[in-house]
Amino acid sequence: MLDRFKAFAVHFALSVVVALLVVALVFLAWYPAPLADATGVTRIFVLLLLVDVMLGPVLTFAVYKRGKKSLKLDLTVIVFIQLAALGYGLFTLAEGRPAWLVYSADRFDLVRVIDQDTRDSEKVKPQYQNSIFSPPRWVAALPSEDAQENSTITLEAVYAGLDYAQRPYLYRPLADAADAIRKHAQPLENLDQFNPPDAVKKQLRQWPKANAWLPLMAKAQPMAVLINRESAEVVAIVNLLPWQDESP
């Protein structure tokens, strides 16, 4: 029995080391705060990681017996199962990670990898190609110069959810939308309409350069993007509601 506990402890320690590396990848590169909350990934990821961390060590405890002829094969299968489960979970997280923070019309949209329109990929400029290790990047999506294409995009936005923000071939530097950002930026005082004033003050104290904001549309939790109106530069994303919460 003591051998089983030792084998469990070793496998558990190795699993924890791998888990910490995965946590760093997910929360520092793929889902930097507060985007994990915006996408709603935190609970799912923690559950997935707990199951994966415990799966291997528990199976090792169940099969481990010193001198057992099939022990190496058993442990190999267990490690394979554990890595396969982790790999599938990471693939799912990679597909759902925020790839772009896109200004379009009068707001920002959080665009996940899976949300992107992959048609016309040959039109996408090299700087707007997305690699698996790329952190979320700020861009603007500007209307096409083709009026007919803009009409098609409007229809597809309504019926398929593919708006300007989901089309990387329309991406441009955020600075190209500076005038529109200044035009649509809202006063910081407006945040008090949708959030407890004390919570707003607490967030704003951390970002003294911010003097305006714009909404950030996200799958799980909309947030506010703080900006500096004069420079039209992004200061920070804060976990404050940009409109009235209508959930029960």
Side-chain angles (χ1 to χ4, degrees):
M1 184 63 73
L2 182 59
D3 287 341
R4 287 188 172 186
F5 278 111
K6 288 182 178 179
F8 172 88
V10 170
H11 197 155
F12 180 76
L14 293 174
S15 297
V16 169
V17 171
V18 172
L20 291 175
L21 294 175
V22 171
V23 167
L25 171 65
V26 170
F27 289 114
L28 295 180
W30 288 354
Y31 295 83
L35 299 184
D37 292 332
T39 55
V41 75
T42 304
R43 291 183 182 179
I44 297 172
F45 174 69
V46 170
L47 179 60
L48 179 153
L49 204 60
L50 286 176
V51 170
D52 194 69
V53 165
M54 293 305 301
L55 176 65
V58 168
L59 290 176
T60 294
F61 181 84
V63 306
Y64 192 88
K65 184 178 181 181
R66 185 184 293 273
K68 184 180 179 182
K69 291 184 178 180
S70 63
L71 182 59
K72 287 185 178 179
L73 177 60
D74 291 344
L75 294 179
T76 300
V77 171
I78 289 170
V79 171
F80 175 79
I81 292 173
Q82 190 176 15
L83 290 178
L86 180 61
Y88 177 77
L90 283 176
F91 173 78
T92 303
L93 291 171
E95 287 291 288
R97 66 187 171 87
W100 304 99
L101 297 158
V102 187
Y103 178 81
S104 179
D106 58 355
R107 73 183 191 194
F108 286 93
D109 283 87
L110 188 156
V111 177
R112 303 173 301 164
V113 171
I114 200 172
D115 296 329
Q116 296 177 99
D117 183 0
T118 56
R119 298 171 299 172
D120 298 312
S121 58
E122 72 280 357
K123 297 181 182 179
V124 180
K125 295 181 179 180
Q127 61 267 39
Y128 303 121
Q129 302 284 350
N130 193 265
S131 76
I132 193 169
F133 295 109
S134 299
R137 289 181 282 169
W138 298 91
V139 293
L142 302 180
S144 169
E145 295 179 358
D146 184 338
Q148 181 59 47
E149 183 178 10
N150 288 328
S151 297
T152 300
I153 293 173
T154 300
L155 288 174
E156 290 189 351
V158 174
Y159 294 106
L162 296 174
D163 209 336
Y164 291 93
Q166 284 75 40
R167 301 169 189 263
Y169 69 91
L170 293 175
Y171 289 175
R172 300 292 183 271
L174 191 59
D176 287 3
D179 290 341
I181 289 173
R182 294 188 188 97
K183 177 182 177 181
H184 294 287
Q186 302 184 41
L188 295 177
E189 295 77 18
N190 288 5
L191 288 169
D192 290 342
Q193 301 175 31
F194 319 118
N195 303 273
D198 289 343
V200 174
K201 290 179 182 178
K202 182 178 179 181
Q203 291 279 9
L204 295 183
R205 276 198 297 267
Q206 301 176 53
W207 310 105
K209 292 184 179 180
N211 55 19
W213 67 278
L214 285 164
L216 172 66
M217 184 63 186
K219 181 177 177 59
Q221 174 65 55
M223 295 185 176
V225 177
L226 300 182
I227 66 168
N228 181 280
R229 188 190 295 271
E230 288 70 33
S231 64
E233 293 179 350
V234 171
V235 176
I237 302 173
V238 291
N239 196 350
L240 294 171
L241 292 173
W243 43 67
Q244 190 66 44
D245 184 5
E246 298 180 355
S247 60

